[in-house]
Amino acid sequence: MKVIDLHREEKQIIEQAVLNNRQAQHQLYTKFSPKMLGVCRQYIKDIHHAEDVMITAFMKVFTNLKKFEHKGSFEGWMRKIMVNECIDFIRVKKNVFNHQEIENIILSENEDSFEIDAFSADDIQMLIDNLPDGYRMIFNLYAIEGYKHNEIAKMLRISEGTSKSQLSHARKMLQEQVNLLKRKQNGTK
C-alpha cells in the first residue's frame, strides 16, 4: 500500500502548492527539478539556458497548477510544460523554423537505424547535442518524447514532411557520428 500513500502524499503537496504554500512548491521543485532539467537539456545544449528555461517552466507549472486535474501523471503534465517552454525558447532564440529553405528539404526514404548500446549516456547526449537545433528538436520530440509527425508539425508550426525530413537527416547525422565514435574506439580512425 506504499504506492497509494506516495500518490496521496503527492496529491496533498500539489493541493498545498495550489494554495501558494511555498514549502509545498519547494518540495515539488526539489523532487522534480533534476528530471525536468534533464528534459530541458535534451533540447537546449547550454546548461545555463536549460536551467533558465526549466525555472521559467516551473513558474508556469505553479501558475497553472490549479488546472492539473489529477488525471494521469503529474510528472507527465509537467514534462509537457517543460518541452513546450524549450520549444518556445528555441523558436525565439534561434528563429529555427521561420526559414523557407527548411520547407524545401528533400524527403529521404532511407531511415537507417543505428545502435547506441555500446555508448555511455554522456556519449549519447553529446551526439544529440551536436545535432543542429532543428534536427535535435525533431529527434527529441519523436524518438524520446514519442510524438507523432503530425503532432510535431502542429506544435512547431511546420509541415509534416519537414518533420519527417528533419528526423531522417538527424538519424543520418547520428549514424555518421556513431560510426566515427566506433572507429575511434576500435583505433581505426
Side-chain angles (χ1 to χ4, degrees):
M1 293 296 135
K2 191 172 191 169
V3 172
I4 294 171
D5 290 340
L6 290 174
H7 178 70
R8 207 174 288 143
E9 180 181 321
E10 183 178 279
K11 187 175 180 180
Q12 289 172 343
I13 293 170
I14 292 168
E15 288 169 353
Q16 289 297 306
V18 167
L19 300 173
N20 288 326
N21 179 311
R22 298 292 179 219
Q23 185 177 5
Q25 289 174 344
H26 181 73
Q27 283 180 291
L28 290 175
Y29 180 84
T30 302
K31 179 178 180 180
F32 291 106
S33 61
K35 275 188 183 177
M36 295 304 117
L37 180 59
V39 170
C40 293
R41 275 285 292 121
Q42 291 173 341
Y43 295 89
I44 301 168
K45 287 182 193 182
D46 184 279
I47 186 72
H48 302 293
H49 289 305
E51 287 174 342
D52 290 344
V53 169
M54 179 194 70
I55 290 167
T56 302
F58 261 106
M59 293 304 295
K60 287 186 178 181
V61 166
F62 294 136
T63 301
N64 294 294
L65 206 49
K66 57 187 161 280
K67 295 179 183 175
F68 178 65
E69 299 175 350
H70 299 280
K71 295 178 183 173
S73 155
F74 177 66
E75 183 177 328
W77 181 79
M78 269 197 320
R79 187 180 188 97
K80 280 185 179 182
I81 293 172
M82 296 291 160
V83 169
N84 287 330
E85 193 63 28
C86 289
I87 291 168
D88 288 346
F89 171 82
I90 291 170
R91 186 179 289 131
V92 169
K93 179 103 171 129
K94 301 285 184 176
N95 207 10
V96 174
F97 292 105
N98 288 338
H99 302 290
Q100 184 62 35
E101 63 201 39
I102 294 173
E103 292 290 334
N104 297 329
I105 295 173
I106 299 170
L107 293 177
S108 172
E109 299 281 325
N110 183 12
E111 294 193 8
D112 296 328
S113 61
F114 56 92
E115 294 186 22
I116 54 176
D117 296 337
F119 301 106
S120 71
D122 288 338
D123 288 336
I124 295 166
Q125 185 65 55
M126 181 202 64
L127 293 175
I128 293 170
D129 283 349
N130 287 336
L131 290 172
D133 291 337
Y135 293 0
R136 186 176 62 252
M137 190 180 320
I138 300 291
F139 182 81
N140 283 330
L141 288 169
Y142 186 85
I144 297 173
E145 301 295 333
Y147 287 101
K148 294 179 177 17
H149 287 293
N150 62 342
E151 296 170 318
I152 294 169
K154 286 178 187 171
M155 208 181 306
L156 300 178
R157 293 181 237 142
I158 59 173
S159 72
E160 199 170 325
T162 298
S163 177
K164 290 177 182 178
S165 174
Q166 296 270 314
L167 178 64
S168 177
H169 289 291
R171 285 180 172 167
K172 281 183 183 175
M173 286 185 79
L174 287 171
Q175 178 65 52
E176 290 168 6
Q177 293 300 314
V178 165
N179 290 336
L180 184 63
L181 275 178
K182 283 181 182 177
R183 286 193 302 269
K184 280 183 181 177
Q185 287 177 348
N186 294 336
T188 58
K189 186 196 179 222

